[in-house]
Amino acid sequence: MTMLYHYCSMASLLKIIESASIHCSNVSLANDPNEIILAKRDVFPDFFQKLAGIPYHGIDNTHEFFVLSLSRKPDALSQWRGYGDMGKGVMLELDLDVLKACNYASSQCDSNVHILNDSVFGTPVFEAVDVIYNEQVFKARLEEALKHHDDGKLLKSIKEMDVTDINFIKFVNRLNGLSACYKSAFYKEEDEVRCVIFSDISEAGYRPNKLRGERWGEVIEQQVLFLESQGKLSPRFPLRLKFKNLMALHGVMLGPANPNSVDMLQAVLQKNGFADTKIDKSVGYFRAPN
């Protein structure tokens, strides 16, 4: 059982429990202006130069990546201030293993355990990754990716930018996926874990992912949604929070400035099928600004 935490507003909580799903946001629309850019600006050029003696061409499919940001820190003041509506929101306690089990997908692998795999190139579309805040650690992860995908022809394909080589495409996808999990050391205090989803985009638009529950075999299509956010269209990928007798939402904590009672929250959870979800209150208190 791996518990991770997601801080959000009361408005977001209502949408989450009413839909029994939590959204992964398109990484290209993240609030942090350095998302993706940091790796591609500061690390990739040197990596490609040393690897193949070529400049980094900026192969980019990051518009196809979706992330759900979680933290390993429960009831953390910085998280309440940054993401929990200045303490007036809630903290969701999510069981990562159950979240994965609620969202298995059709896979070419023999053992489809805790991985969604519906990408045409076999790239996992759901992977929980600890955000990396150290450049040397990030470079080591790039080296691991290179070793994993090196089939003897990879270096030649990199030099020639051979997009017909499926293994090269897998490698590029992996690098872009890792770039979605590299941030400045300034954010290290957040201790962030990201669920990273890769969704192929064709001329027909975002392709649905066929999900199934491994134990029950129920097949559904999980389609990318489009929501409006501050005037912009924001693509989201929903993850199910429950499936059959599985429940990924383990608990909800009221923030230190949340005016709602435990009884009121309990009534809302029960109404939406989350009666077994435990409720806590933050041990802290502060007066949020109006």
Side-chain angles (χ1 to χ4, degrees), residues 4 22 50 63 80-81 85 93 108 116-118 163 170 182 194 231 237 243 253 256 270-271:
L4 297 172
I22 189 166
K50 289 182 177 179
H63 56 290
W80 287 121
R81 285 176 167 166
D85 196 14
E93 184 179 11
Q108 301 301 315
L116 294 181
N117 198 345
D118 195 36
V163 295
K170 288 182 181 180
Y182 177 55
R194 286 185 164 180
F237 193 101
F243 179 74
M253 176 180 286
Q270 287 180 346
K271 179 180 181 295

Side-chain angles (χ1 to χ4, degrees), residues 108-119:
Q108 301 301 315
C109 302
D110 292 330
S111 57
N112 183 24
V113 180
H114 290 171
I115 283 184
L116 294 181
N117 198 345
D118 195 36
S119 167

Side-chain angles (χ1 to χ4, degrees), residues 208-226:
N209 289 283
K210 294 182 181 295
L211 307 182
R212 75 166 189 273
E214 186 69 14
R215 291 174 56 188
W216 300 281
E218 175 186 299
V219 177
I220 65 167
E221 283 195 351
Q222 195 74 307
Q223 182 71 54
V224 170
L225 306 174
F226 288 88

Side-chain angles (χ1 to χ4, degrees), residues 177-222:
L178 287 173
S179 71
C181 298
Y182 177 55
K183 299 182 72 171
S184 164
F186 177 79
Y187 295 95
K188 186 175 182 180
E189 190 273 337
E190 293 184 344
D191 202 5
E192 185 180 351
V193 178
R194 286 185 164 180
C195 294
V196 182
I197 294 177
F198 176 80
S199 179
D200 293 319
I201 300 178
S202 67
E203 292 180 359
Y206 287 93
R207 187 168 60 85
N209 289 283
K210 294 182 181 295
L211 307 182
R212 75 166 189 273
E214 186 69 14
R215 291 174 56 188
W216 300 281
E218 175 186 299
V219 177
I220 65 167
E221 283 195 351
Q222 195 74 307

